[in-house]
Amino acid sequence: MISELAALALAAQGPELPRMPAIQRQPQITYVDRSGAVIGVRGGRYAPPVDVNRLPKHVPGAIVAIEDRRFYEHTGFDPRGMASAVVGGLTGGRMRGASTITQQTARLLFLNQDRTLERKAIELVYAVELEKTYSKAQILGMYMSRAYFGAGAYGYEAAAQRYFNKPAAKLSIKEAAMLAGVLKSPVNYDPINQYEACLERANLVLDVMVENGVITAAERDKAKGQKPRVWKTAPNGAAQYFVDWVDGEVRRMVPKPNRDLIVETTLDQAMERAAGEAAKSVVARYKAQATDQAAIVAIDGQGRVRALVGGTDHATAPYNRAVNARRQAGSAWKPFVYLTALEQGRTPTTEVVDEPVTINGWSPSNYDAGSYLGPITLELALAKSVNTVAARLADEVGRPNIAATARRIGIQSAVNTDPAMALGTTLVSPLEMTQAYAAFSNGGNRVQAYGIERIRSGGQVIYQKRPPAPVPAIANPALSELNQMMRTVMVAGTGGRAAAPGYDLAGKTGTTSDYKDAWFCGYTGYLASCTWMGRDDAKPMGRISGATAPAEMWRQFMSTALKRVPNQAIPVGPAAPAPAPPVQVASQQTAEDSDQAAEEPPTD
């Protein structure tokens, strides 16, 4: 029967048997968080061959037992199984079953999934060649690195991480049996959606493992009583927006890698997970108010991005709103206005008047239209997010100067200088807003947000981030005065829902035209973070302001983030004057701006 298959191979390929192609695998880029845990893989779909000799015997033993129990005895094919398969193929034209692990490896490496006699014949030839060229351990390792285990997991290590959040070397006997059982049908035995069927299949695997001498009957009986936890969503799923962002950077730094890369990042996975959960849960809670997306970014005082979530679900909505979306900042922009005023000599106690104002034909109003507070301090005006005061103040200190301030501390997008810019009509990303607020958190130094610490290849370091030198951008007394005003926002202003006792916190709410965007940006000592909520179609939400859902999201996220960093006061900062580099100013159509919850949204 085997000679008949060889003849078929000859007929299909010519007078010579097909030569086994070289094994090819595209380089992979593996991303790890700051503790070394894998957060994502990009590039080649397949991992390097598994070293089965480094795994507990029950891990490869489970696969061999259920997939090819005579694997260590045959020379690439199983004559008994092949005989029955060929009979079926000759009568029905399609081959079914009987493939050894070696044959399956040949198919995964070199062939397609067509079930024809011709393809089966070539598969057989390649299997025999594989057995001549590689050891059994190497063949099994190649198979385990290429097999598909469902849920986007190609290879055994990826499957172990995806379903059980642990490396393959730490899988229990029951977990190993579950993964081995998945191979028959990743759909029917899906550990996530077909959990009971997966357990039933795993119990069958356990029985065969006993028959093959992999485990004892006592070990089988103990394993059958176990129900391992399966992660319904990938444990590192929240990090995929971050991985997308740094992957773009790596591709520019290493355009054509010829070896696998390990990229060590700045990400704090606990923070990232908390950010993902906060974005998802708060958007779900406010779904009735027509919001559908959120973004969260956290940056430490040196510019390291500790968390970056660009949406509520990367699988269904991979667009990275944290990095790529440009939205109006609303009153979260006002600190740049007040900082410019403080740098020109005003103080938090400088008296201003909340009253009607018209600038170049534009008349901004407060949330309570027609209601004004009269004489108030600058500190109270910021805390209550009074629009009339911010608009007049911007006109007095000069909007080009405000644009220069924003650029100096981290805003990179084009800044408009129309009257409404004072109330946040410039289009910015959550990433750059957080980058700017980081200068408030670290003593007045401008930071450049980054996510890559080191890139390694083949044991060699090919890139190492140098510790960034401080770049003073805000001097005292303006910095300490602004920080005090921003603390007041959270104690006696619109940011009350974001407050957390026991920490030195400061921040600002922001709401834009017809509730299209809502923000909360805040910070503690050496950690800044911004939350944004809105709709991808830029339609209005149902009266969601920065003082409500984004402030709640910020507090939910920071309840975890604050425990991951030292509890530090917001630093006073440098005393020397900060340089003011040139600013690029772009004009932009704007209109009336106001903010809800003492902030009426601007009108586009």
Side-chain angles (χ1 to χ4, degrees):
M1 197 66 69
I2 304 306
S3 61
E4 293 178 23
L5 283 174
L8 283 168
L10 282 168
Q13 298 294 315
E16 295 184 4
L17 287 174
R19 183 170 298 176
M20 186 175 67
I23 296 174
Q24 295 183 349
R25 187 182 70 84
Q26 302 238 338
Q28 273 190 342
I29 305 176
T30 299
Y31 294 91
V32 300
D33 72 0
R34 63 194 300 250
S35 68
V38 176
I39 57 174
V41 178
R42 296 290 189 271
R45 186 167 67 180
Y46 305 112
V50 172
D51 186 349
V52 298
N53 294 320
R54 292 193 173 188
L55 297 174
K57 68 174 185 177
H58 61 260
V59 171
I63 290 180
V64 170
I66 197 65
E67 287 289 296
D68 183 5
R69 66 178 64 188
R70 288 183 287 275
F71 173 68
Y72 291 104
E73 302 167 11
H74 62 64
T75 58
F77 57 89
D78 181 355
R80 282 179 284 177
M82 286 294 296
S84 60
V86 170
V87 170
L90 291 174
T91 57
R94 291 171 66 84
M95 303 293 291
R96 293 188 300 274
S99 290
T100 64
I101 285 176
T102 312
Q103 288 174 265
Q104 293 182 62
T105 303
R107 184 164 65 247
L108 290 169
L109 290 173
F110 310 121
L111 303 169
N112 56 38
Q113 297 298 317
D114 292 343
R115 294 185 177 182
T116 63
L117 283 170
E118 289 80 7
R119 200 273 295 155
K120 197 72 175 180
I122 298 171
E123 174 188 297
L124 173 63
V125 173
Y126 287 170
V128 173
E129 289 297 315
L130 280 172
E131 291 276 349
K132 292 179 181 178
T133 308
Y134 300 97
S135 69
K136 289 287 188 180
Q138 289 174 317
I139 293 170
L140 181 57
M142 287 188 280
Y143 173 69
M144 291 177 66
S145 72
R146 297 255 174 170
Y148 182 57
F149 290 84
Y154 285 87
Y156 200 89
E157 189 65 44
Q161 295 285 355
R162 171 60 187 86
Y163 293 121
F164 302 115
N165 191 28
K166 63 176 68 172
K170 293 187 177 181
L171 291 179
S172 69
I173 291 174
K174 184 60 170 285
E175 291 165 341
M178 290 173 69
L179 287 188
V182 167
L183 289 168
K184 181 177 177 64
S185 173
V187 174
N188 294 331
Y189 301 113
D190 175 5
I192 299 170
N193 300 310
Q194 303 294 335
Y195 186 70
E196 292 302 323
C198 181
L199 290 180
E200 184 177 345
R201 173 74 176 169
N203 288 338
L204 173 62
V205 175
L206 291 169
D207 289 335
V208 181
M209 291 171 72
V210 173
E211 294 173 11
N212 268 33
V214 179
I215 58 174
T216 66
E219 288 174 321
R220 173 196 60 193
D221 295 342
K222 181 180 178 181
K224 281 191 173 183
Q226 297 171 347
K227 288 193 172 185
R229 176 191 176 183
V230 172
W231 292 67
K232 292 188 178 297
T233 57
N236 58 10
Q240 298 317 295
Y241 290 107
F242 175 85
V243 174
D244 286 349
W245 173 56
V246 292
D247 187 62
E249 295 295 315
V250 171
R251 301 291 177 175
R252 284 188 284 274
M253 297 164 69
V254 191
K256 295 181 179 180
N258 53 19
R259 302 178 71 177
D260 290 345
L261 303 179
I262 303 292
V263 179
E264 300 173 18
T265 75
T266 61
L267 189 81
D268 184 305
Q269 196 165 176
M271 281 195 201
E272 181 79 354
R273 193 173 296 120
E277 291 170 355
K280 197 166 191 173
S281 64
V282 174
V283 167
R285 191 158 67 244
Y286 282 84
K287 201 71 175 179
Q289 290 175 252
T291 183
D292 63 8
Q293 280 302 337
I296 300 178
V297 179
I299 300 176
D300 73 12
Q302 286 70 49
R304 292 179 287 241
V305 175
R306 295 305 194 194
L308 188 150
V309 171
T312 57
D313 186 351
H314 184 271
T316 60
Y319 176 65
N320 198 334
R321 297 152 192 84
V323 177
N324 299 320
R326 295 292 189 275
R327 308 291 290 241
Q328 290 188 355
S331 289
W333 182 268
K334 286 178 182 174
F336 310 147
V337 177
Y338 283 82
L339 175 58
T340 306
L342 293 171
E343 290 177 334
Q344 291 188 11
R346 292 167 177 79
T347 71
T349 58
T350 296
E351 191 171 276
V352 290
V353 181
D354 176 18
E355 62 184 358
V357 62
T358 298
I359 302 170
N360 295 342
W362 171 64
S363 300
S365 62
N366 298 323
Y367 174 66
D368 296 322
S371 177
Y372 302 95
L373 298 175
I376 55 175
T377 64
L378 277 184
E379 185 168 3
L380 184 60
L382 180 62
K384 298 297 183 182
S385 203
V386 177
N387 287 330
T388 58
V389 171
R392 175 177 285 155
L393 190 63
D395 196 52
E396 292 173 356
V397 303
R399 289 181 293 277
N401 292 326
I402 296 168
T405 297
R407 298 281 292 186
R408 184 196 342 140
I409 65 174
I411 296 299
Q412 296 172 320
S413 296
V415 180
N416 76 75
T417 56
D418 295 322
M421 74 90 78
L423 307 185
T425 54
T426 292
L427 302 178
V428 289
S429 73
L431 178 62
E432 64 183 314
M433 282 293 284
T434 312
Q435 179 174 271
Y437 271 65
F440 303 150
S441 80
N442 68 6
N445 293 312
R446 177 192 171 118
V447 304
Q448 179 64 51
Y450 70 95
I452 301 169
E453 293 281 16
R454 186 180 295 106
I455 302 176
R456 293 183 283 115
S457 178
Q460 294 184 330
V461 175
I462 62 174
Y463 169 80
Q464 173 71 59
K465 174 70 176 179
R466 293 182 179 179
V471 180
I474 314 172
N476 273 320
L479 175 63
S480 58
E481 290 172 340
L482 179 69
N483 283 337
Q484 183 54 47
M485 294 167 68
M486 298 275 271
R487 290 185 182 101
T488 304
V489 171
M490 302 189 72
V491 175
T494 59
R497 292 196 193 190
Y503 295 93
D504 187 12
L505 302 176
K508 186 67 189 77
T509 53
T511 315
T512 65
S513 188
D514 297 326
Y515 307 102
K516 292 178 180 178
D517 301 278
W519 299 72
F520 188 86
C521 292
Y523 52 98
T524 187
Y526 301 98
L527 182 70
S529 60
C530 285
T531 59
W532 166 87
M533 288 183 69
R535 294 173 57 91
D536 283 340
D537 60 11
K539 291 182 178 178
M541 297 178 288
R543 296 184 66 83
I544 291 179
S545 74
T548 58
E552 294 172 16
M553 192 192 317
W554 192 86
R555 178 173 177 170
Q556 181 177 329
F557 162 66
M558 289 294 282
S559 67
T560 294
L562 289 168
K563 297 173 184 176
R564 304 284 298 173
V565 296
N567 187 350
Q568 302 179 82
I570 299 167
V572 173
V583 62
Q584 295 179 353
V585 177
S587 180
Q588 175 179 315
Q589 283 291 347
T590 59
E592 186 174 3
D593 185 29
S594 50
D595 249 58
Q596 200 260 355
E599 336 170 53
E600 181 184 65
T603 303
D604 287 337

